[in-house]
Amino acid sequence: PAEIDAWHNPTLNASQRRAVREAVATDDVHLIHGPPGTGKTTTAVEVLLQCVDRGKSVLATAASNTAVDNVVEFLVDQGADVVRLGHPARVTPTLHAHTLDARIEDHEAYQRSQEKREDAFAVLDRQDDLTTPSGRWRRGMSDRKIKELAEQGRGSRGVPPERIEEMADWLELQERADTLFDEAEQLEQEAIADVLDTADVVCSTNATAGSDSQEAAQSGLQHTLFERLAHHHETNPDAPTSIRSLLRTQYRMHETVMDFSGRTFYDDRLEAADAVRRHTLADLGVTAEALSARRREMLDPDAPLVFVDTTGIDAPEHQRSGSHSRENPREAEIVTQLATDLLEVGVAPSGIAVISPYDDQVDRIDDQIGIEDLEVDTVDGFQGREKEAVLLSLVRSNDRGEIGFLGEPRRFNVAVTRARRKAVVVGDASTVAAGDVYDRFIRYAEQEGRVVRP
């Protein structure tokens, strides 16, 4: 492990510091496995800054614009000189000043390039009054032939001398404009290279994430690069020669929510920080007595993890005509009612997340709730984020036990672990239990959480 004399973030815990030391010391690759809420970004930023301290050029990438922006924000807070690659429209507005586009605007070479471009466009404007060498006037003559005829003051093929001269002038202006555009592009490249060369860290998106599609599975692309590397080398982060570190302390979830994820996905190696181990909605002023009697059992602050089993009610899934997505109107009603109850007892809209794997269900619930600050989105939309309470609608309910891509366990893990104090999962146990991860979850909820059947 690398010797580190000064930490940029002195609050890092022991597993985070170990991971940083191992990552900085590696000659090729080191994997930092960060379960939800364990401070992956915090740890990654420390690695980046330690590399900068050692005079290394650093490129930081992530699989989404949101993830990249999170890293940029952390680095900026630490005073690093960061350049964010990517279209400014896809970058968080508060970070626009750190985009490459914004960074080169004040560069001398870029300003000169803009002057060149303005000159080029002015030259092109002068072409408007001239005959364009095309169509009826060119008549098969090459550019070279037009210029020769113009110098001689001659016409050709029925084209009068004055038209020949105008076409020659048009060609000369085009050449001048092309030269100016080339010079402008060279100056822009000079500005870009200078900005990138002097930055501490360059941040951009990448394309290393796996895919959940059937086509991807058939092509062997359903696993991420991280998973492939971990599987190829070894999977035990405690091995002396391991290329992988595991972050063990999470700072987000109540331990009941955490334990399902820890046992199912991380070999029961996770532990909750004392500050979050037992926190609930009660800490936000929510009491069971204030809740609607019909849904009190579902939203009880003393039950951080609840599965609402719709098996016994009429709640089938539907598919809209022409849509590949799914929706479940009855589940949407239940989730909307739960969200409304939370709002009525004082939970802030910004503290609630409503999640569903299906776009059509997201649209239906969003329309029913209709509150701008209360986010309703797919699992992917909440990646890397957290909310005080998470309401998850699984949608699938049929007599065939078909769950489609719902069976992909990583998405379910992401969805449930967005919750800090309360996670309510709504679904048809008789259908979703066809997926191993849901079968485990339902049994876990029965033993450690709560199962409610409306």
Side-chain angles (χ1 to χ4, degrees), residues 288-355:
E289 293 73 20
L291 292 163
S292 163
R294 293 187 62 186
R295 291 171 290 279
R296 184 174 298 156
E297 195 176 7
M298 303 177 194
L299 295 177
D300 183 357
D302 291 333
L305 184 119
V306 175
F307 177 63
V308 179
D309 183 5
T310 64
T311 299
I313 64 175
D314 185 24
E317 65 183 73
H318 292 289
Q319 188 171 13
R320 299 178 191 176
S321 176
S323 174
H324 295 291
S325 187
R326 298 285 194 283
E327 62 182 346
N328 189 312
R330 186 69 183 94
E331 279 192 22
E333 291 177 9
I334 293 172
V335 169
T336 299
Q337 291 166 348
L338 292 173
T340 302
D341 286 354
L342 288 173
L343 293 170
E344 289 178 350
V345 296
V347 180
S350 60
I352 303 171
V354 175
I355 304 176

Side-chain angles (χ1 to χ4, degrees), residues 180-249:
L180 288 168
F181 281 127
D182 286 343
E183 292 174 353
E185 185 173 351
Q186 291 174 16
L187 288 167
E188 286 178 1
Q189 294 301 321
E190 178 183 330
I192 291 171
D194 189 42
V195 168
L196 295 179
D197 286 346
T198 57
D200 290 335
V201 184
V202 176
C203 296
S204 178
T205 56
N206 62 22
T208 61
S211 172
D212 303 326
S213 72
Q214 187 176 8
E215 292 80 6
Q218 292 172 347
S219 302
L221 300 176
Q222 73 272 36
H223 298 295
T224 65
L225 178 60
F226 187 102
E227 290 171 327
R228 287 172 171 271
L229 287 169
H231 179 73
H232 177 72
H233 291 276
E234 41 69 30
T235 57
N236 182 5
D238 296 323
T241 59
S242 176
I243 68 162
R244 174 173 161 235
S245 299
L246 177 68
L247 306 182
R248 300 174 183 276
T249 305

Side-chain angles (χ1 to χ4, degrees), residues 10 32 67 79 85 87 117 119-120 166 227 261 263-264 325 327:
I32 299 178
L85 301 184
H87 196 289
R117 286 189 178 277
D119 291 345
E166 284 189 11
E227 290 171 327
S261 179
R263 296 178 189 179
T264 306
S325 187
E327 62 182 346

Side-chain angles (χ1 to χ4, degrees), residues 17-86:
R17 292 191 178 210
R18 177 181 179 274
V20 172
R21 290 192 184 97
E22 295 287 353
V24 172
T26 189
D27 292 326
D28 39 39
V29 62
H30 188 76
L31 308 177
I32 299 178
H33 195 174
T38 55
K40 292 184 289 295
T41 302
T42 299
T43 306
V45 166
E46 185 69 36
V47 173
L48 297 175
L49 293 174
Q50 292 294 338
C51 289
V52 170
D53 290 346
R54 287 157 175 75
K56 297 181 179 180
S57 299
V58 181
L59 170 65
T61 69
S64 69
N65 284 300
T66 299
V68 175
D69 287 346
N70 286 340
V71 173
V72 173
E73 192 168 6
F74 272 71
L75 288 167
V76 169
D77 288 344
Q78 291 286 340
D81 182 10
V82 186
V83 175
R84 167 67 159 96
L85 301 184

